[in-house]
Amino acid sequence: MASVVNRRRRSPGARRQAVVAWLFAAPFVVVFGIFMVVPLVSSFVMSFTDFRGSDVADPAAVDFVGPAHYLALLSDARFLHALRNTGYFVVVGIPLTMAVALLLAVALNNGITRFRTAFRVGFYTPVVTSVVAVAVVWRFILQPDGLLNTVLAWLGISGPDWLHSTTWAMPSLIVMAAWRNMGTLIVIFLAGLQNVPAELHEAALLDGAGPWRRFTAVTLPILRPTLLLGAVLLSVGYLQFFEEPFVMTRGGPLDATLSITYFTFQQFGFGDYGYAAAASYLLFALIALLSIVQFRILRTKR
């Protein structure tokens, strides 16, 4: 009863504070509503219509088609091919990127003492470099008479045409994406490794645990939340796999590097906005599903 009376006594001031708080938050709320909520709701509604580029001048001509686009996508051979390509990129790319980033983070945290800052800057540089500049470098490396095939020729190996081979184009883009994205994970993993108490390692050492045993029994369990953060961030980016095929292969050869995002981009280019919006929300559902799986696997066990 007393608390109710106190709340009533504070209510005029609390209301003033709430008004002031809303006034400060209003610019963000308005901008967020206009540029995020409205487009999200509009695109979701659009995915249930036959909205096309020709309907922009006459929106009244748009018809509601229900889940027809979603059902059509699930039987569209090209979309399913893009789905398999994206799955291949995610299943191979995420473990590869995380393993290499964790290995380098451990080396920077424990083994490398000289020029540590230079290594950190070097590993993070691809993250802040334009994808166009990265593409120029990797095209020089992967072209038929490029750096990689020249090195293989020294070893007596005839390298393939990496970017124009249906077998090797996707692995080439996976390696390029891993190189480009591991800098962010190295920074995150380094922060996690520096929070591992040294006393635990010392206690494990006294118990006779070797380096590998200390890493798997002490470091990795403490690092689980950090690994979860890295996995979620990476999976969101890798499921929206677009820049690499756009600048390197244009989805080819023979759709070997066609991703869901690139497929959606093409549908928007064709003016089939409703179909493209439906593809976007299927991709959103995949991202949410993968994030839930990662939370289940990497969550901290109590």
Side-chain angles (χ1 to χ4, degrees), residues 18 27 90 125 147 169 230 243 259 265 268 286:
V90 168
T125 299
L147 180 62
E243 291 176 332
S259 66
F265 169 77
F268 274 114
L286 283 176

Side-chain angles (χ1 to χ4, degrees), residues 39-215:
L40 283 173
V41 174
S42 302
S43 60
F44 186 66
V45 173
M46 188 190 299
S47 69
F48 294 98
T49 68
D50 61 352
F51 194 91
R52 298 186 61 83
S54 57
D55 297 322
V56 173
D58 184 18
V62 176
D63 293 322
F64 182 74
V65 297
H69 287 322
Y70 292 93
L71 297 176
L73 281 167
L74 296 177
S75 59
D76 186 329
R78 198 156 181 266
F79 177 79
L80 295 178
H81 184 68
L83 182 63
R84 285 193 293 272
N85 284 344
T86 304
Y88 176 20
F89 187 83
V90 168
V91 169
V92 178
I94 290 180
L96 175 67
T97 309
M98 290 189 67
V100 174
L102 183 59
L103 178 67
L104 292 173
V106 171
L108 285 173
N109 192 56
N110 298 324
I112 298 174
T113 55
R114 301 184 64 182
F115 308 114
R116 181 177 292 176
T117 303
F119 278 110
R120 289 179 179 177
V121 172
F123 288 133
Y124 197 73
T125 299
V127 178
V128 295
T129 304
S130 163
V131 68
V132 177
V134 170
V136 171
V137 173
W138 278 85
R139 277 183 175 280
F140 171 73
I141 295 173
L142 297 173
Q143 62 188 357
D145 57 348
L147 180 62
L148 179 57
N149 280 355
T150 301
V151 173
L152 290 176
W154 293 343
L155 303 173
I157 301 172
S158 178
D161 187 353
W162 300 95
L163 295 177
H164 297 94
S165 162
T166 54
T167 304
W168 292 106
M170 183 61 85
S172 302
L173 296 190
I174 289 174
V175 172
M176 173 184 163
W179 173 80
R180 186 164 171 252
N181 291 284
M182 67 181 181
T184 303
L185 290 189
I186 289 175
V187 172
I188 294 172
F189 291 161
L190 266 175
L193 287 169
Q194 288 168 5
N195 286 327
V196 178
E199 296 81 8
L200 295 180
H201 277 284
E202 292 168 0
L205 188 62
L206 289 175
D207 289 340
W212 177 251
R213 180 64 177 164
R214 293 200 301 276
F215 179 72

